[in-house]
Structure formats: structure tokens, C-alpha cells
Amino acid sequence: MKYSAASDRYKNNMIYRRCGKSGIDLPAISLGLWHNFGGVDSYETGRAVLRRAFDRGITHFDLANNYGPPRGSAEETFGRMMAGDFAPYRDEMIITTKAGWSMWEGPYGSITGSRKHLIASLDQSLARMGLDYVDIFYSHRVDPRTPLEETVRALADIHRQGKALYIGISSYSPALTCEVASLLESERVALLVHQPNYSMFNRWVENGLLATLERLQTGCVAFSPLAQGLLSSKYLNGIPVEARASREKISRNPISPELIDRVRALNDIATRRGQTLAQMAIAWVLRDPRVTSALIGARNVEQLDDSLCALDLLNFSQEDLRDIDRYATDAETDFWESSTSL
Ligand code: NAP
């Protein structure tokens, strides 16, 4: 059936937050297409999720060249949905993509931050999505073997060509983030946003990155706030067959009994607050005003609806925060730390 966006999409409870020092507001909850939108997934389910997201005020959709599987297929799926449903709404949307992880065969398609890779990859992404430009283009990861100047100059040129309206980086350390911001500034381009992993089970951004972004006046889009679904009640009694952890390795594997004990304790706190654990996990990353948006995934419309209700209860008492801190400990190393040893 032909899609027409809900007329009350901006009249519900979505909150929009300013992204750093820029003219752009992002929804407090954004939708990522890393999972559930690949060529192997149900097109109809993905389309229902995207339609619902837009109808509920989500204007920010996050992709990358390699999302699928197979790689590239999430952008193809999204392109099909853009052409079929969302073309009339293009100017209401912030669409992002990234390059930096392994994408195509040979030396120019593997993990790299080279000018060759970034420029070719964005051209491929635009073709797959049927777009003239993306709103934000990200360097997806640090590549310690490519001079940072080369990566940043390519990003600035992409910006100047109008193929990306804004520039972002993902999973860069605080020191490298400062270097990127300064190199971009010399090209008269702002660093709009950083996209780090941030959840109750991965708090690395609290060790300097959030302070750095505040100083640089750069926005922060926190990805995987549910720790890939672990911060929900679904794993409390084993691994359901439809859950992500039964299909692939999630970052907290193996899911140990000790980890589940912590999830259970957090779930009890969420119940006491009157929300689901997924909702509390999203609200928790948004408690920090330096976080512009929580970038979630959703396998179906029910999950999306559940997660969006996080916005109904964003406040935390001191007691809640103290109790959460007992179980929400930082035990994870982020990508940038491991990638610098490549
Ligand atoms: P997430 O929100 O932490 O996890 C999403 C998963 O949690 C869903 O696929 C679903 O998994 C489960 N879920 C979602 N809502 C739920 C709910 N209300 N109740 C119970 N379970 C729920 O985020 P993510 O998918 O890992 O990542 C989100 C986005 O961040 C990606 O799509 C991508 O755009 C971005 N990202 C960026 C990077 C980067 O390097 N920059 C890396 C990773 C992700 P089940 O199938 O298990 O139900």
C-alpha cells in the first residue's frame, strides 16, 4: 500500500536535540540499519519499521557501506524504501553513511582510511541508496596505517563537493578526535558529530571523550545503547532463537551467568521505575546532555515502539543512578583501542 507519512509525526513526544555547535537538531532516538535491513532480512518487516520510525518523529537514519549482509545490501534496501516511500520526505531526513571497515576485494576495499577508499565508497553508497548526497558522512574507524591528514583531506573534499553536508567520525580516541577537528578546521569544515559505542555496559566515552566533544562543541550520537539487545529482558532465561546472540557473536559474548545477574538487577531497577530495561537503557544514555541522540536498532515494530517509550521517562533520581552504577560497569574495550594495534 502506498505510504503517506503520519500527519502528527512532529506532534508526538519525540524530542530534538541540537547537534554540537551547528544548525542541526537530531531526534533523541535515531534508527540504525546495521542489522535487520540486509538482503537476507524481510523487506516488509524492515519497511514497516522504517515507516513507523518516521511516523513517530525519527528523522535520522544511520547506515554504512558494509551494513547487510551481504555488505552493501542495507543501503540497497534503504534506497528501495526511499524510492518507494520516502522520496517526498527527503528534506525531512538526516541520512548518514560511513566508510572505513572492509568493504570490497583488494587493497583499496579493505580496512583503510585512504582517500581512494573514502571517495570511491561514498560514490558506491550514493548509487546504492539512489541519493545525490548524504547528510553526514563518517570515517567509520581509525586507520593507524593511513596518515590522518589524508583521511581528513578526503573528508573535507567530499564536503566541498556537496556529496555530504556534514562530516563525522566514529570510535576515534579523544586525542585523535581533537586532531581531526583541528585538521578539519584548517579546511574550514566543522566536525559535526562523533559516533561512539555507549551503553550501561560500555562506558569508555566517560573517560575523556564526552568532555572532549563538549569542548569542541561536537555532537555525540551514542550507538548500541542496548548493548546489542543485551540490555533488555530477553536473555534472562536463556538465549531465544530469534535473538541476535543466537545468530552471531555479540560484543559481550559469551553471555555469562555473572553478566545475566547484572542484567537481572538492572531489569529490577527498570521495573521499579515503571519502564522496561530497554527503555531505561536508552533513557540512561540520554541523561547526559552531551549525548545528542541514542542510536538504536530494532528487529520489528514492537521493539521500536517499546524503545521509543523511553522518552516517557527520562529523569533519574540520585538513588536510581547510584543503584544502576553498581551493575553498569565498564568492562569493554572499544574499537579504537584495539584498532590502533593493527
Ligand atoms: P542496540 O539498540 O543496542 O541493539 C538493537 C537490538 O536490540 C535489536 O536488533 C534487537 O535485537 C534488540 N532490541 C531492540 N529494541 C528492543 C527492545 N525494545 N526490547 C528488546 N530487545 C530490543 O543497537 P545496535 O543494533 O547494536 O546498533 C544500532 C545502530 O548503531 C546500528 O544500526 C548502526 O547504525 C550503529 N552502529 C554503529 C557502529 C559504528 O561503528 N559506528 C557500530 C555498531 C552500530 P534482537 O534481534 O536480539 O531482538
Side-chain angles (χ1 to χ4, degrees):
M1 212 172 70
K2 191 166 162 30
Y3 172 70
S4 179
S7 56
D8 63 351
R9 61 191 176 282
Y10 299 116
K11 298 192 186 87
N12 294 315
N13 65 343
M14 182 53 74
I15 294 163
Y16 298 89
R17 290 182 170 185
R18 188 50 53 112
C19 189
K21 188 183 173 198
S22 76
I24 287 295
D25 287 338
L26 293 179
I29 297 180
S30 303
L31 182 68
L33 283 76
W34 177 30
H35 284 262
N36 310 306
F37 291 85
V40 299
D41 298 303
S42 155
Y43 180 80
E44 285 69 30
T45 305
R47 184 175 61 184
V49 169
L50 218 67
R51 286 177 170 186
R52 183 78 175 149
F54 193 64
D55 283 347
R56 290 198 59 178
I58 292 185
T59 52
H60 174 208
F61 301 92
D62 184 73
L63 292 109
N65 56 355
N66 59 345
Y67 290 175
R71 288 180 229 171
S73 61
E75 288 183 331
E76 285 167 358
T77 301
F78 184 75
R80 216 175 130 194
M81 294 175 188
M82 277 305 295
D85 287 350
F86 296 101
Y89 308 105
R90 174 66 183 94
D91 294 340
E92 294 182 42
M93 301 169 89
I94 296 290
I95 302 168
T96 77
T97 194
K98 322 184 189 77
W101 286 95
S102 198
M103 180 57 197
W104 64 87
E105 293 296 305
Y108 318 115
S110 55
I111 292 175
T112 173
S114 72
R115 176 179 184 82
K116 167 81 175 164
H117 181 81
L118 295 181
I119 289 178
S121 181
L122 178 55
D123 284 345
Q124 293 174 18
S125 292
L126 292 174
R128 281 191 290 267
M129 293 191 281
L131 299 176
D132 300 326
Y133 70 94
V134 288
D135 295 280
I136 305 172
F137 184 62
Y138 284 95
S139 164
H140 206 162
R141 51 161 291 153
V142 175
D143 172 22
R145 297 187 306 143
T146 300
L148 200 59
E149 290 77 4
E150 175 174 338
T151 302
V152 171
R153 239 173 251 137
L155 294 172
D157 285 342
I158 281 167
H159 179 267
R160 266 191 290 271
Q161 289 167 356
K163 290 180 181 174
L165 303 186
Y166 299 93
I167 294 301
I169 55 176
S170 177
S171 306
Y172 277 59
S173 68
L176 287 177
T177 298
C178 289
E179 269 192 68
V180 170
S182 146
L183 288 166
L184 277 174
E185 196 182 354
S186 64
E187 302 272 352
R188 302 184 63 80
V189 176
L191 178 61
L192 177 79
V193 63
H194 191 302
Q195 190 179 121
N197 194 338
Y198 185 37
S199 72
M200 293 193 291
F201 283 164
N202 185 347
R203 301 179 65 165
W204 76 280
V205 301
E206 294 173 12
N207 299 325
L209 185 69
L210 284 172
T212 299
L213 297 180
E214 185 176 25
R215 194 160 38 76
L216 294 173
Q217 297 184 286
T218 290
C220 176
V221 168
F223 76 75
S224 299
L226 304 182
Q228 297 190 257
L230 194 54
L231 286 164
S232 71
S233 57
K234 76 160 60 71
Y235 294 111
L236 291 180
N237 300 304
I239 301 180
V241 66
E242 70 281 6
R244 191 180 294 184
S246 81
R247 296 193 302 273
E248 61 185 76
K249 183 176 173 297
I250 64 172
S251 57
R252 298 293 309 220
N253 266 3
I255 300 176
S256 64
E258 179 268 338
L259 187 60
I260 291 303
D261 284 348
R262 286 165 55 198
V263 174
R264 198 178 309 281
L266 290 166
N267 192 54
D268 289 346
I269 299 169
T271 305
R272 181 179 87 200
R273 281 168 53 81
Q275 60 187 171
T276 66
L277 176 52
Q279 290 162 1
M280 184 174 84
I282 293 165
W284 184 85
V285 300
L286 290 170
R287 82 200 182 289
D288 191 318
R290 295 171 297 186
V291 173
T292 318
S293 183
L295 176 53
I296 65 165
R299 179 159 46 82
N300 52 43
V301 170
E302 292 71 32
Q303 286 186 347
L304 177 70
D305 277 338
D306 179 56
S307 295
L308 279 169
C309 288
L311 297 172
D312 295 341
L313 180 57
L314 290 176
N315 291 338
F316 287 86
S317 67
Q318 285 308 317
E319 187 196 359
D320 287 344
L321 290 174
R322 210 178 35 244
D323 288 351
I324 288 169
D325 276 346
R326 290 175 57 200
Y327 307 103
T329 51
D330 187 13
E332 204 164 315
T333 303
D334 209 69
F335 292 129
W336 68 268
E337 288 176 18
S338 46
S339 64
T340 48
S341 63
L342 275 179

